[in-house]
Amino acid sequence: MKKVIFLNGSPKRKRAVSEKFLKIAEDCLEGQIRGEKLYIYESEFSDGFFESIYEADAVVMALPLYIDCLPARVLEFMTESKEYLKNRELRRPELYFIINCGFLEYSQNDTAIKIIEKYAEKTGFDYRGGISIGSGAMILQSRKKEALEKVLQEMAQEVKAFYDTEEMQETTVRKINVDMPRFLFKAKADKLWVEAGAKKGLDKKALKAKYY
Amino acid sequence: MDKIKTIIISDAHDMEGRLVEKGLQDIFSKAEVTLFNCSDLKIEYCIGCFSCRYKTPGKCIHNDGMVDILPHLVASDVIVLLTRMEYGCYSPLIKRMLDRTITFETPFLRTVNGETHLEPRYPKKRKLLTVAYDENIDSEEAVIFTHLTKRNAVNFDAEWRRPVFINEGEDIEKKLRRAYGDLLK
């Protein structure tokens, strides 16, 4: 049975939408792999932490897009990996990602995906691609929820058995979002913030106020 | 260029970084420069609570080194980020600071270059220059970083300038002087 690490890279940890995406992938694989969940934002980067990761057969990392790339502590994890790997033999676990951005366009994740790929190349991972999600949490309340579950299940099947098939497989990045016109997405997203502000007694003008 | 408000935010904490930081200070000697070195400041991680969006607009829940940086960032005409290159990205120290600049934007969306982006909270014509250093920056990292900084310029509502890449042992002054000339255009 493969050992798989599910790595949550969101600052929101268990409350994150990344956690929900990871859970769908985890549930698909229940009883078929040995899984372990780790949280980058609540872990010390000890030798034990890195041993868990590098002893695994595969790592599935879920994270949000932050300022056009990876959240700071995920980068810290990546740079600390380099230190851990000095003078150690590499096992090359497979690396899969689930990245989501709150903007409509999943293409906004492309630079971050390149960074993950470069990280994999430099720190002994077997980069296997993943899922690029646009429109963030909104997708879970949309008609595309089932389509998202399907791509997460497809990726989970690859995690379980990528090297078990006879044929050579491509590294895949699956892309998905709510698939709605930009003006509608913008109107829906803006409305959510107006409602959130109203609950705190703040109108739209107050939400746009300058603090400095 | 003289007396143009310039903020330099640096992660330099070793000899290599400090040399580039010193080079930047020299090049910008005629501007009104405020330098922040993130390795001297306590900066907490953004925890994604979004308080700065809908509870206390523009104000973060953390009371730390960013309280010093943000007013200068808002007032700046030129933003210079000095960072060690990590996989085509910023160093974790600079990224920790950048993650906290979401207070720089309102929660509302606008369209830029055919994509949804957040509206700037402090619109102003700024310029963004990034300087990345490492022992040996490979060409793929340089391409990734170039794309990343172009995207960041949108967040800062700034005019993008081509990043400067400095490998160990290179002529720092020559590279920075060329970038400074580009900034004046």
Side-chain angles (χ1 to χ4, degrees):
Chain A
M1 238 184 214
K2 267 174 113 169
K3 182 187 169 190
V4 179
I5 296 288
F6 295 95
L7 194 57
N8 179 327
S10 172
K12 292 167 101 165
R13 308 167 201 193
K14 287 180 181 151
R15 294 181 299 108
V17 68
S18 294
E19 178 78 0
K20 293 189 172 82
F21 298 146
L22 265 187
K23 180 83 169 50
I24 296 170
E26 266 182 286
D27 287 350
C28 293
L29 295 172
E30 200 179 343
Q32 301 173 66
I33 50 122
R34 286 182 298 126
E36 185 183 356
K37 175 79 71 62
L38 295 173
Y39 294 85
I40 289 181
Y41 270 80
E42 60 188 38
S43 301
E44 292 298 321
F45 299 143
S46 61
D47 280 1
F49 178 81
F50 285 115
E51 272 160 26
S52 290
I53 287 170
Y54 279 93
E55 280 172 14
D57 299 296
V59 174
V60 181
M61 179 164 67
L63 68 161
L65 188 76
Y66 259 44
I67 317 284
D68 299 303
C69 51
L70 319 179
R73 191 149 173 86
V74 175
L75 272 173
E76 205 166 309
F77 155 72
M78 290 177 164
T79 52
E80 292 293 322
S81 309
K82 223 171 15 184
E83 289 304 309
Y84 171 78
L85 287 170
K86 277 182 184 164
N87 308 316
R88 282 184 165 90
E89 199 181 330
L90 300 181
R91 264 195 78 245
R92 292 188 66 78
E94 296 157 42
L95 178 65
Y96 300 81
F97 65 80
I98 304 168
I99 188 164
N100 79 91
C101 73
F103 302 111
L104 177 62
E105 306 82 12
Y106 45 67
S107 57
Q108 297 210 34
N109 295 322
D110 289 355
T111 311
I113 293 169
K114 287 283 178 199
I115 293 166
I116 294 169
E117 202 174 339
K118 180 54 74 176
Y119 161 68
E121 177 195 314
K122 289 202 166 188
T123 56
F125 279 103
D126 177 8
Y127 174 74
R128 296 265 43 98
I131 302 174
S132 176
I133 302 168
S135 60
M138 206 185 277
I139 198 166
L140 292 172
Q141 277 86 47
S142 77
R143 283 177 298 176
K144 291 298 277 293
K145 187 184 174 196
E146 278 182 25
L148 172 70
E149 285 170 351
K150 187 167 175 279
V151 292
L152 282 161
Q153 285 157 5
E154 282 172 6
M155 192 189 76
Q157 286 312 307
E158 283 185 10
V159 173
K160 191 179 89 162
F162 185 80
Y163 287 107
D164 291 352
T165 54
E166 294 298 321
E167 291 167 18
M168 181 77 91
Q169 294 182 71
E170 296 289 321
T171 295
T172 314
V173 177
R174 296 175 172 86
K175 299 170 181 183
I176 189 164
N177 67 359
V178 293
D179 193 19
M180 67 169 70
R182 190 170 291 118
F183 79 90
L184 193 56
F185 177 80
K186 184 179 175 308
K188 280 189 171 220
D190 287 359
K191 186 168 172 270
L192 289 174
W193 289 112
V194 169
E195 287 169 357
K199 284 181 188 160
K200 300 289 168 192
L202 299 169
D203 63 12
K204 191 169 183 178
K205 194 176 166 198
L207 295 179
K208 291 182 167 200
K210 293 179 170 61
Y211 182 74
Y212 293 104
Chain B
M1 195 67 204
D2 296 3
K3 301 305 168 197
I4 283 183
K5 289 191 175 84
T6 302
I7 180 169
I8 301 176
I9 308 177
S10 155
D11 68 355
H13 60 278
D14 58 11
M15 176 73 93
E16 194 184 354
R18 294 280 182 190
L19 278 174
V20 186
E21 186 183 275
K22 174 75 172 56
L24 272 172
Q25 285 177 291
D26 291 345
I27 295 290
F28 281 90
S29 61
K30 288 180 181 168
E32 185 185 324
V33 175
T34 312
L35 169 72
F36 291 98
N37 188 311
C38 293
S39 59
D40 298 333
L41 297 167
K42 182 172 169 51
I43 299 176
E44 301 285 352
Y45 294 109
C46 172
I47 57 167
C49 68
F50 292 135
S51 284
C52 62
R53 290 199 178 166
Y54 75 100
K55 290 182 183 169
T56 53
K59 182 181 182 290
C60 181
I61 56 159
H62 294 306
N63 186 10
D64 59 12
M66 286 305 285
V67 173
D68 299 323
I69 293 179
L70 283 166
H72 287 277
L73 209 49
V74 169
S76 64
D77 301 303
V78 173
I79 300 168
V80 183
L81 302 177
L82 172 61
T83 181
R84 180 174 286 282
M85 169 76 82
E86 296 286 357
Y87 313 113
C89 192
Y90 301 98
S91 67
L93 210 52
I94 288 291
K95 189 63 190 11
R96 200 188 287 210
M97 180 280 300
L98 283 174
D99 284 356
R100 297 281 303 286
T101 61
I102 64 160
T103 59
F104 226 63
E105 294 157 329
T106 81
F108 300 107
L109 295 172
R110 59 178 175 151
T111 302
V112 183
N113 304 329
E115 291 180 336
T116 47
H117 286 275
L118 295 171
E119 272 181 1
R121 193 177 291 277
Y122 306 101
K124 184 180 180 183
K125 275 294 147 217
R126 301 179 181 86
K127 291 176 182 174
L128 174 67
L129 174 67
T130 44
V131 181
Y133 62 94
D134 199 6
E135 284 170 29
N136 186 20
I137 295 168
D138 73 39
S139 58
E140 284 177 354
E141 285 177 317
V143 170
I144 297 168
F145 191 78
T146 301
H147 281 282
L148 174 60
T149 57
K150 269 188 184 175
R151 302 191 68 83
N152 293 150
V154 175
N155 290 328
F156 279 119
D157 196 32
E159 273 180 44
W160 173 79
R161 287 294 183 269
R162 187 170 288 279
V164 183
F165 298 108
I166 299 178
N167 293 299
E168 201 172 82
E170 286 184 336
D171 187 336
I172 296 169
E173 191 191 339
K174 189 176 163 191
K175 287 204 162 185
L176 293 180
R177 200 163 286 289
R178 192 185 306 149
Y180 183 75
D182 188 32
L183 208 55
L184 295 176
K185 286 175 191 165

